[in-house]
Amino acid sequence: MNKIWIIFEREYLQRVKKKSFILSTLLTPLIFPFFIFITVLLIDSDEQEVRKIAVIDKSNLLEDSLSIGKNNLLKSKLDINSLQTQILNGDIYGALIIPEMDIYDPKPIKFYSKNIPSNDFVSDIERIFEERIRNRKISELQLNKSSLDKLKTNILMDTYSVEESTVSDGGELDANKSSSGLAFGLGYFNGFLIYMFVFIYGSFILQSVLDEKTSKVVEVIVSSVKPIQLMMGKVLGVGAVAFTQISIWIVLVFSISTLTSLYFGIDNVETTQIVNTQEQIDQSKEMVAGFYELFSSVDVFKLIVVFLIYFTGGFFLYGAFFAAIGSAVDNLQDASQFTLPISLPIIASLMFMGVILENPESNASLFLSLFPFTSPILMMARLPFGVPDWQLILSISLLILFVIFALWFAGRIYRVGILTSGSKITYKLLWKWFVMKNY
Amino acid sequence: MLSVKNISKSYVNHKALDNISIDVNQSSIFGLLGPNGAGKTSLIRIINQIINQDKGDIFLDGRPINYDDVRKIGYMPEERGLYKKMKVGDFLLFMGKLKGLNRNQCIDSAKLWFDNLEVSNWWNKNIEDLSKGMSQKVQFISTVLHNPNLIILDEPFSGFDPVNANLVKSNLLRLKEEGRTIIFSTHRMESVDELCDHVAMINNSKKILDGNTEKIKMKYKSDNYIIVHDMKLKKVDNNYSLVKTENLADGIYESEVSLKEKKSYKELFNSISSNTRIISFKEKIPNMNDIFIMKVKEGANSE
């Protein structure tokens, strides 16, 4: 145990002290706020510039001039050919052509511009004309506008998750508010985080084992340490580095996002949206408030504990295989033919994640979140939707069982692999190493 | 001190060791000789329990060797290297800790060995900045850092220039005087004559020779004599046949003669001194290199 600790200590300190580790750990969380910052700046600077749009309105739906956000719509008497010249010269941003139409059977309106307009622009313009036609219909049909407004209804459905511990309170269940949107986001985030760390740090293990083999330091070490101890120390050491990095990231991301939201304020973000009706602002405010309410309803403690279990389990399961591959091959090129089959379940997990997030309770989801090679990523994706305890326990037990098996399996390959170089590695040879009694 | 009894070992495709036994005495230097691929490294790895034997036992001081004993061996493998991205001091600390030393013991011992190997204090040097010879010295220091009683070196002199090789040799001899036991393997024989008290030779996974160095030399001497004299020798004589003669300078010849069967060196001496003045007269003792080549060729012929 003491020796595993010495190996662990060296592996950990060597990696953590590296400049590349310090830089990537400190800078990566800054990248996202940085991009957001840049985007906000760009949108702000865009805002100043007013886009002129010429309108040929044959149905007479618009007033002479109309300003929508940064778009200035001006009626024009020119023909389409001279407008084309103006568009190409950059005098105007585009030309909007409204054909003569029957408002009860509208035709498409046309927009000509040099650049393809954004989706927001298209929907904004469409919305304007829908509103105009609606208003015209109201007056032509002589309807009462206020009665019509009363027809408008907005129903929200709140979803709640019920547990055995849920108590009824005056005829109502005091259940936690749930949100499939939040669950989806959280599930995706969890799964992706584990995917990323298993992949990146798994290949670190491979690289580290391979380095010891090619620099020939390994035999010096195994004269005082059993190969399995060396392997365990290494996997633990690299794992601890991953753990350190993710902890720092979590702390940094939380503090940076708190700081930036304090600095910018939530209102500031809303003004950056191009067109905002009062309705939309209300909605988004409601959403933000609801989000915080929901987030506090998630059992954060359970989430973190389960995350750490799957994070560790997934890391050990794949780390063991990566260590075995690193010990067997002589260079990184040879390693790729063996890392591909090992990586497949990880990549497949990521692909299945969408399916699982759509149908968290299907049989396929159940199977994939129990199967140890996919469970670290996919159970974490399912977790925010609520998973029965027995499934969680079964899944974790299976994972632990497979981790032990993987470490034992990898250890048997490893003990032969680290001392063998120059032979062409095939699956048959690996199998021979595995079953070899005395080595 | 160390005895290896009837060790056999097979790999997937071939037999590496076939019923090998050796005995190593305390406070001696034991040479394990053999051409490349003979099985030396396999035997050394088995003694260090890096790999396991198929058959046979290893005893240390009369009892079966256990893992704690193995940990105390100072072992320098043939395939040796250093962590490139570490400092010399960090590496020596790491190796020392694995051998059970604490930090201060490591530092003290390293200082002592830096002096012994006539290098300045390299504690803070980066390993990737070391030359090949320098890293060999660091290897050696990491092997003997914990003051081992038994030292096993696999091809210790490869990678050393002659000056540094001599430095290591004199240190090995000093360690022997201090009572340590040293086993080393080599396929280069120059060092064997200077260092080894005892040798064993392995070829094609079998032991083909084992014994005290001087006794082996006596056994394999061919009754040839090297004589320096001032007049030409007779080509034909009852006592000897002339193997070769060389004119070293005006009136000084060196000749190798082969003593005929059942004749003694006294008869040879008398016969030669009867017609020339003998300047020097000595028996030609084969060096380990001659014996090695002879035995390996013998083995190749008998197959």
Side-chain angles (χ1 to χ4, degrees):
Chain A
M1 210 53 216
N2 182 31
K3 292 216 181 138
I4 295 183
W5 172 251
I6 298 169
I7 302 282
F8 168 87
E9 189 189 22
R10 193 204 75 86
E11 190 74 34
Y12 181 78
L13 289 179
Q14 284 295 306
R15 285 183 181 276
V16 171
K17 281 195 287 189
K18 263 194 206 160
K19 281 197 192 79
S20 59
F21 174 83
I22 295 170
L23 281 180
S24 69
T25 306
L26 294 182
L27 291 184
T28 311
L30 292 174
I31 286 173
F32 297 104
F34 179 75
F35 276 123
I36 293 171
F37 184 70
I38 293 287
T39 326
V40 170
L41 276 189
L42 285 177
I43 290 173
D44 274 350
S45 68
D46 260 13
E47 207 93 333
Q48 317 303 326
E49 187 196 323
V50 176
R51 293 198 293 212
K52 277 196 269 182
I53 292 161
V55 184
I56 300 177
D57 187 0
K58 288 178 182 158
S59 297
N60 211 17
L61 284 167
L62 282 189
E63 50 268 52
D64 282 352
S65 82
L66 176 68
S67 172
I68 307 165
K70 58 182 176 175
N71 300 300
N72 241 342
L73 273 61
L74 284 167
K75 276 201 180 168
S76 169
K77 292 188 170 63
L78 296 169
D79 63 350
I80 186 69
N81 287 332
S82 39
L83 286 177
Q84 183 188 3
T85 336
Q86 283 193 353
I87 292 170
L88 293 175
N89 289 341
D91 295 337
I92 55 171
Y93 175 68
L96 188 63
I97 314 294
I98 297 133
E100 262 182 88
M101 60 171 110
D102 172 9
I103 55 168
Y104 299 99
D105 181 22
K107 288 179 193 158
I109 57 178
K110 289 173 183 162
F111 184 73
Y112 299 95
S113 64
K114 210 152 82 176
N115 302 323
I116 299 168
S118 70
N119 267 332
D120 281 350
F121 175 80
V122 173
S123 56
D124 284 346
I125 299 290
E126 283 172 353
R127 209 165 39 77
I128 292 281
F129 281 92
E130 280 162 11
E131 204 182 300
R132 290 301 145 93
I133 291 179
R134 182 171 176 271
N135 287 342
R136 187 174 283 184
K137 282 176 181 169
I138 289 171
S139 60
E140 276 186 18
L141 295 172
Q142 291 175 332
L143 299 171
N144 185 337
K145 193 163 188 291
S146 63
S147 318
L148 273 174
D149 284 345
K150 280 180 192 149
L151 279 176
K152 225 195 258 173
T153 27
N154 191 10
I155 292 287
L156 291 173
M157 181 166 85
D158 286 341
T159 54
Y160 295 89
S161 52
V162 194
E163 291 162 28
E164 277 174 24
S165 61
T166 307
V167 288
S168 68
D169 177 21
E172 275 191 29
L173 286 172
D174 185 19
N176 284 328
K177 212 168 182 184
S178 65
S179 157
S180 52
L182 178 72
F184 191 96
L186 211 54
Y188 197 84
F189 179 75
N190 286 339
F192 193 77
L193 211 58
I194 291 190
Y195 163 83
M196 207 174 72
F197 270 87
V198 165
F199 234 126
I200 295 175
Y201 279 89
S203 55
F204 278 176
I205 293 180
L206 191 153
Q207 184 69 53
S208 170
V209 172
L210 192 55
D211 277 351
E212 276 181 1
K213 195 182 172 185
T214 48
S215 72
K216 292 173 178 168
V217 75
V218 66
E219 194 173 343
V220 182
I221 313 269
V222 292
S223 65
S224 5
V225 183
K226 286 182 179 139
I228 187 77
Q229 292 177 319
L230 177 59
M231 192 182 92
M232 288 299 294
K234 192 167 282 294
V235 173
L236 283 170
V238 175
V241 177
F243 201 77
T244 308
Q245 188 162 54
I246 201 167
S247 311
I248 295 176
W249 281 0
I250 288 172
V251 170
L252 279 180
V253 165
F254 267 104
S255 42
I256 288 173
S257 55
T258 315
L259 281 178
T260 44
S261 65
L262 281 178
Y263 182 74
F264 283 108
I266 202 89
D267 286 340
N268 206 340
V269 178
E270 279 167 5
T271 53
T272 60
Q273 288 173 2
I274 298 160
V275 185
N276 268 317
T277 62
Q278 191 55 40
E279 203 177 313
Q280 275 177 312
I281 293 177
D282 287 346
Q283 257 180 14
S284 58
K285 272 190 177 158
E286 234 167 69
M287 261 176 65
V288 171
F291 188 79
Y292 279 113
E293 192 191 329
L294 281 168
F295 209 80
S296 57
S297 75
V298 173
D299 189 346
V300 178
F301 180 72
K302 184 182 174 189
L303 191 74
I304 290 178
V305 169
V306 175
F307 178 83
L308 290 181
I309 293 173
Y310 279 103
F311 181 82
T312 319
F315 180 78
F316 270 97
L317 182 65
Y318 283 101
F321 286 105
F322 279 114
I325 295 168
S327 73
V329 297
D330 290 338
N331 54 55
L332 219 50
Q333 286 81 30
D334 292 348
S336 59
Q337 63 157 318
F338 296 103
T339 48
L340 184 68
I342 293 300
S343 313
L344 274 180
I346 316 180
I347 297 167
S349 302
L350 200 66
M351 286 172 5
F352 286 134
M353 202 143 87
V355 184
I356 288 212
L357 291 170
E358 292 295 333
N359 310 295
E361 276 158 49
S362 65
N363 283 336
S365 297
L366 178 60
F367 172 75
L368 289 170
S369 58
L370 292 179
F371 183 56
F373 283 93
T374 50
S375 68
I377 294 172
L378 295 179
M379 185 56 104
M380 278 320 292
R382 257 189 79 193
L383 196 67
F385 293 92
V387 175
D389 283 344
W390 71 267
Q391 290 184 10
L392 205 57
I393 291 165
L394 179 61
S395 169
I396 290 175
S397 313
L398 279 174
L399 182 63
I400 292 172
L401 214 65
F402 267 63
V403 164
I404 294 168
F405 169 76
L407 286 171
W408 173 70
F409 177 84
R412 290 187 72 89
I413 304 270
Y414 185 87
R415 75 205 157 120
V416 189
I418 47 171
L419 295 174
T420 310
S421 45
S423 43
K424 186 169 169 7
I425 309 298
T426 58
Y427 286 106
K428 203 176 148 193
L429 185 64
L430 289 182
W431 179 251
K432 274 186 182 165
W433 289 358
F434 174 67
V435 295
M436 199 185 279
K437 276 206 196 82
N438 275 321
Y439 190 84
Chain B
M1 182 212 186
L2 180 83
S3 51
V4 170
K5 298 233 186 295
N6 312 104
I7 293 283
S8 294
K9 172 74 187 171
S10 295
Y11 292 118
V12 174
N13 298 320
H14 73 286
K15 194 154 202 168
L17 295 169
D18 187 3
N19 205 22
I20 303 275
S21 301
I22 55 170
D23 279 291
V24 183
N25 298 325
Q26 176 82 37
S27 189
S28 70
I29 300 183
F30 188 98
L32 195 59
L33 319 179
N36 287 326
K40 302 186 296 283
T41 297
S42 291
L43 181 59
I44 285 177
R45 282 180 174 175
I46 287 171
I47 296 173
N48 281 291
Q49 292 196 354
I50 287 172
I51 56 177
N52 294 321
Q53 64 270 36
D54 297 338
K55 262 186 260 166
D57 300 292
I58 294 164
F59 297 92
L60 190 75
D61 297 327
R63 55 186 174 74
I65 197 164
N66 61 37
Y67 197 75
D68 281 336
D69 299 327
V70 169
R71 199 185 81 162
K72 290 178 191 138
I73 297 176
Y75 170 50
M76 183 164 85
E78 182 183 9
E79 298 282 334
R80 49 186 178 257
L82 304 164
Y83 287 110
K84 291 191 185 69
K85 296 284 175 197
M86 279 179 104
K87 285 195 189 313
V88 171
D90 288 339
F91 179 73
L92 291 177
L93 266 181
F94 173 63
M95 293 304 293
K97 278 184 187 167
L98 285 179
K99 291 290 187 190
L101 299 186
N102 65 33
R103 193 186 163 84
N104 287 334
Q105 288 170 321
C106 282
I107 295 172
D108 293 346
S109 179
K111 257 188 201 140
L112 195 72
W113 276 103
F114 284 140
D115 288 344
N116 284 341
L117 293 183
E118 296 172 11
V119 296
S120 52
N121 198 324
W122 282 348
W123 192 263
N124 283 316
K125 245 184 155 58
N126 287 322
I127 285 176
E128 51 189 347
D129 298 336
L130 299 179
S131 72
K132 193 173 181 211
M134 288 156 95
S135 32
Q136 294 283 336
K137 283 186 178 179
V138 174
Q139 296 281 5
F140 184 78
I141 293 174
S142 75
T143 309
V144 293
L145 197 66
H146 61 295
N147 229 348
N149 202 20
L150 175 61
I151 301 168
I152 300 180
L153 311 167
D154 200 354
E155 298 286 352
F157 302 110
S158 65
F160 278 118
D161 61 57
V163 177
N164 285 327
N166 280 334
L167 203 59
V168 172
K169 279 177 200 165
S170 60
N171 272 289
L172 290 180
L173 287 170
R174 189 175 53 77
L175 285 168
K176 184 184 91 168
E177 295 306 316
E178 288 173 7
R180 311 295 159 73
T181 310
I182 298 158
I183 301 173
F184 75 89
S185 85
T186 185
H187 63 277
R188 299 205 311 209
M189 297 301 135
E190 312 88 71
S191 47
V192 179
D193 291 293
E194 297 169 50
L195 293 174
C196 295
D197 306 304
H198 203 101
V199 295
M201 197 179 285
I202 297 176
N203 191 24
N204 288 327
S205 74
K206 289 187 178 69
K207 186 172 82 175
I208 53 171
L209 190 68
D210 185 6
N212 181 286
T213 315
E214 295 311 313
K215 281 184 184 156
I216 287 176
K217 285 181 182 174
M218 287 305 144
K219 188 178 164 198
Y220 286 92
K221 67 180 183 167
S222 48
D223 279 345
N224 279 20
Y225 290 81
I226 309 279
I227 303 151
V228 181
H229 47 93
D230 62 357
M231 303 275 278
K232 279 198 171 175
L233 295 184
K234 285 186 285 180
K235 282 246 160 63
V236 203
D237 190 280
N238 286 334
N239 294 301
Y240 65 87
S241 55
L242 191 61
V243 180
K244 62 180 181 188
T245 187
E246 202 181 332
N247 193 353
L248 294 181
D250 234 9
I252 302 177
Y253 300 89
E254 187 186 82
S255 304
E256 183 178 343
V257 298
S258 176
L259 192 66
K260 287 194 170 162
E261 259 180 77
K262 288 173 188 166
K263 300 287 180 187
S264 76
Y265 77 92
K266 276 183 186 162
E267 288 168 295
L268 174 70
F269 190 91
N270 291 338
S271 152
I272 289 174
S273 59
S274 65
N275 66 357
T276 174
R277 192 170 70 87
I278 291 177
I279 298 166
S280 83
F281 180 94
K282 66 174 182 190
E283 189 170 2
K284 188 185 176 188
I285 306 288
N287 57 27
M288 283 315 296
N289 199 35
D290 301 327
I291 299 170
F292 178 72
I293 290 168
M294 192 183 83
K295 292 299 286 187
V296 171
K297 274 187 182 155
E298 224 171 64
N301 289 340
S302 68
E303 267 178 23

